[in-house]
């Protein structure tokens, strides 16, 4: 996955250069990545970067005219025309590289620079004039920075594996991190799965000067929570104006922009307000091996109404044939944040890259605008864990992860950077990811939604109706559609929710107390009401096409000796799943993922992974 890495230390320059070279190499996974290194010996900074070819970060290192301020950057930042115009008025040169304006903005704003940034990003800014370096990330912490501090150095990287590559003492599981993973499917509160490796909290800026490091937050969610709510009329008016104003930031590109189109509200808003730009748009929807989900049917209809081309990107036989490879790549690229049941993300996004290297999505709209949440305890079967480890997992399950947080704070600053990061990381290894739903202006406005609109689809539906009435007449995949009487809307929504829930339970299984009725769900297949929403049948794949792979991995010595599991439990559950005696998809995914992390990061990290390329980088001084 593209990112930055480096060492801040007073150790010998050649030692630090050797370490950075290895760190960059561990992140250089694809032939379409470009990379480089930069150092400032007088400050003790040695760093490197990896980026998608022709992306925002590909043209770095970003420099001012005097080349005494340098920026190493990952992600994208979106600038208002007013800021660009103001910088030009002050005679700054903006045309040399895409991101040079960032350095010039720092020259004008100083320490206030970080608060002005809008996007998903991380960076290292080196100010040779002040002999300072600043390590920072976006306010949500979604562009991750892993770090490890020792007595003589600070090591940082966008991928944990870069730290594990050079620091063997980190190659072990973090006990609390594993407990969180087995409870929620992710780690929480900037903890990781790796002992001694932490995450930079969102909205952080660390300044390094000599032997000193000053750590501060340049943004806190409380800044937005303090806003007063708007009336229904004022909120709808401001919501429509804000969304239309910010969307062009995410559609600008030198070539075609690929739109990952679904049948839901969030991509519908994008399509309704899609600005006519110099870029052309190509639409696609992820789909199964055959058949048509509601997403695919509705997306094709939406694209056709706008005269745009639409593609269904499908699971081909090679995915299951090469599942081992896709699974290992997924775990390796995402540092274990995505596991077996996310192995399709790299596969699909590689297809999407063939259409466009830029992927515009509606991701995170439902979380930020309507408080939809999937960050809940997994409820793994009690037979899986050994007694000594069952207790910390049970204790972890009792924690109130929201702790009374504002719903927008919970969504934008907790659930998305913790629970949803893995899927995002896998996708970003292939395409440049863009979503308008984490734009600073839109998230700030979400805090001002009146109580009646906190979970309501009405602001989105009214926006679509106002911007493009034709699209408002096409129902969403959940049955949402404006209706004057309200009766039709309620019925369609209820029907959409029922089919969605049936699809979910058919895939994941009913709750334990109702598990005896699982066979009844399968009997609904001939009625055509299953498969409308879900198209990745990992439950069936683990039982049939991938059954031998699952059983082989779960019966390995590495799994049998892992301290998390009850004796023979993983293999026993795998056999029960394969024989159709229960649905243990979640349990199998957890065991498979931890086995892969152990194998790839602790046993094989010193050897070059198959997906890793030999670096060919230019040293910039």
């Amino acid at each position: 996955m593209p990112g930055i890495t480096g060492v801040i230390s007073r150790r010998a320059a050649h030692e630090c250069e050797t370490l950075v070279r290895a760190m960059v190499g561990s992140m250089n996974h694809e032939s379409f990545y470009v990379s480089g290194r930069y150092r400032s010996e007088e400050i003790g900074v040695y760093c490197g970067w990896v980026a998608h070819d022709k992306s925002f970060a590909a043209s770095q290192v970003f420099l001012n005219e005097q080349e005494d301020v340098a920026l190493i950057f990952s992600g994208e930042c979106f600038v208002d025309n007013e800021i660009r115009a103001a910088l030009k008025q002050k005679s700054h040169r903006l045309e040399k590289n895409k991101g040079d304006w960032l350095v010039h903005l720092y020259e004008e704003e100083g320490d206030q620079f970080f608060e002005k940034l809008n996007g998903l990003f991380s960076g290292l800014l080196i100010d040779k004039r002040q002999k300072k370096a600043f390590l920072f990330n976006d306010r949500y912490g979604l562009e991750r920075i892993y770090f490890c501090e020792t007595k003589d150095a600070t090591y940082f990287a966008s991928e944990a594996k870069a730290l594990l590559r050079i620091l063997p003492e980190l190659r072990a599981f973090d006990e609390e991190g594993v407990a969180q993973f087995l409870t929620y499917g992710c780690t929480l509160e900037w903890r990781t799965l790796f002992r001694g490796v932490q995450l930079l909290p969102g909205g952080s800026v660390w300044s390094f000067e000599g032997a000193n490091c000053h750590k501060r937050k340049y943004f806190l969610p409380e800044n937005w929570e303090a806003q007063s709510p708007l009336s229904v009329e004022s909120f709808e008016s401001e919501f429509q104006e804000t969304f239309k104003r910010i969307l062009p930031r995410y559609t600008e590109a030198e070539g075609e922009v690929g739109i990952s189109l679904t049948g839901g509200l969030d991509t519908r808003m994008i399509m309704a307000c899609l600005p006519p730009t110099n870029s052309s748009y190509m639409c696609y929807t992820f789909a199964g091996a055959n058949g048509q989900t509601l997403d695919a049917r509705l997306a094709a209809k939406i694209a056709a109404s706008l005269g745009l081309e639409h593609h269904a990107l499908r699971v081909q036989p090679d995915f299951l044939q090469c599942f081992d490879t896709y699974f290992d790549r997924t775990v390796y690229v995402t540092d274990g944040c995505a596991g077996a049941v996310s192995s399709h993300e790299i596969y699909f996004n590689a297809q999407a890259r063939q259409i466009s290297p830029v992927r515009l999505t509606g991701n995170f709209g439902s979380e930020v605008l309507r408080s939809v949440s999937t960050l809940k305890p997994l409820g793994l079967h009690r037979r899986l864990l050994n007694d000594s480890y069952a207790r910390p997992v049970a204790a972890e399950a009792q924690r109130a992860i929201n702790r009374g947080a504002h719903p927008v704070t919970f969504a934008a600053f907790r659930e998305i950077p913790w629970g949803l990061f893995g899927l995002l990381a896998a996708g970003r290894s292939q395409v440049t990811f863009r979503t308008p739903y984490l734009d600073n202006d839109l998230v700030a406005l979400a805090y001002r939604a009146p109580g009646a609109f906190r979970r309501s689809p009405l602001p989105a539906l009214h926006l679509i109706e106002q911007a493009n009435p034709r699209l408002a007449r096409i129902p969403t995949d959940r049955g949402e559609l404006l209706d004057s009487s309200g009766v039709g809307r309620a019925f369609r929504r209820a029907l959409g929710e029922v089919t969605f829930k049936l699809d979910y339970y058919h895939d994941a299984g009913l709750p334990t107390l109702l598990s005896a009725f699982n066979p009844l769900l399968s009997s609904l297949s001939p009625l055509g009401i299953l498969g409308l929403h879900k198209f990745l049948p990992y439950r069936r794949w683990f039982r049939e096409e991938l059954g031998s792979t699952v059983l082989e991995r779960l019966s390995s010595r590495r799994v049998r000796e892992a301290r998390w599991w009850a004796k023979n439990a993983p293999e026993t559950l795998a056999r029960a799943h394969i024989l159709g005696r229960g649905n243990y998809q979640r349990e199998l995914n957890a065991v498979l993922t931890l086995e892969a992390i152990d194998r790839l990061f602790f046993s094989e990290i010193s050897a070059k992974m198959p997906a890793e390329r030999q670096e060919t980088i230019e040293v910039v001084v």
Side-chain angles (χ1 to χ4, degrees), residues 82 195 215 262 371 411 429 457 518:
E82 294 79 7
R195 182 180 63 195
K215 303 174 182 180
T262 70
S371 301
S429 71
N518 279 324

Side-chain angles (χ1 to χ4, degrees), residues 221 224-225 227-229 235 406 408-410 412-413 442-449 454:
W224 283 341
E225 291 175 0
Q227 301 174 103
S228 57
F235 177 78
H406 189 288
V408 181
T409 296
F410 176 75
F413 295 91
L442 191 63
V443 178
L445 178 61
Y447 281 88
R448 307 193 69 188
R454 182 67 65 199

Side-chain angles (χ1 to χ4, degrees), residues 28-44:
N28 205 11
H29 310 303
E30 301 285 354
S31 61
F32 50 83
Y33 286 3
V34 294
S35 58
R37 283 183 282 129
Y38 185 90
R39 70 173 180 263
S40 176
E41 291 185 37
E42 63 269 34
I43 303 178

Side-chain angles (χ1 to χ4, degrees), residues 177-196:
V178 173
Q180 292 176 351
F181 172 81
L182 293 175
T183 305
Y184 297 105
C186 63
T187 56
L188 312 173
E189 296 177 334
W190 316 113
R191 184 173 289 276
T192 77
L193 288 168
F194 308 106
R195 182 180 63 195

Side-chain angles (χ1 to χ4, degrees), residues 53-67:
D53 185 26
K54 300 179 182 178
S55 67
F56 180 90
S59 56
Q60 60 184 314
V61 174
F62 303 131
L63 300 164
N64 65 344
E65 289 89 346
Q66 295 76 30
E67 299 190 359

Side-chain angles (χ1 to χ4, degrees), residues 584-611:
Y584 300 109
Q585 176 182 309
R586 290 178 179 175
E587 288 77 8
L588 301 184
N589 179 63
V591 180
L592 288 168
T593 303
L594 288 181
E595 183 277 334
I597 294 171
D598 190 355
R599 173 168 43 83
L600 298 174
F601 292 96
F602 305 152
S603 302
E604 300 178 6
I605 191 71
S606 59
K608 190 172 73 171
M609 282 290 296

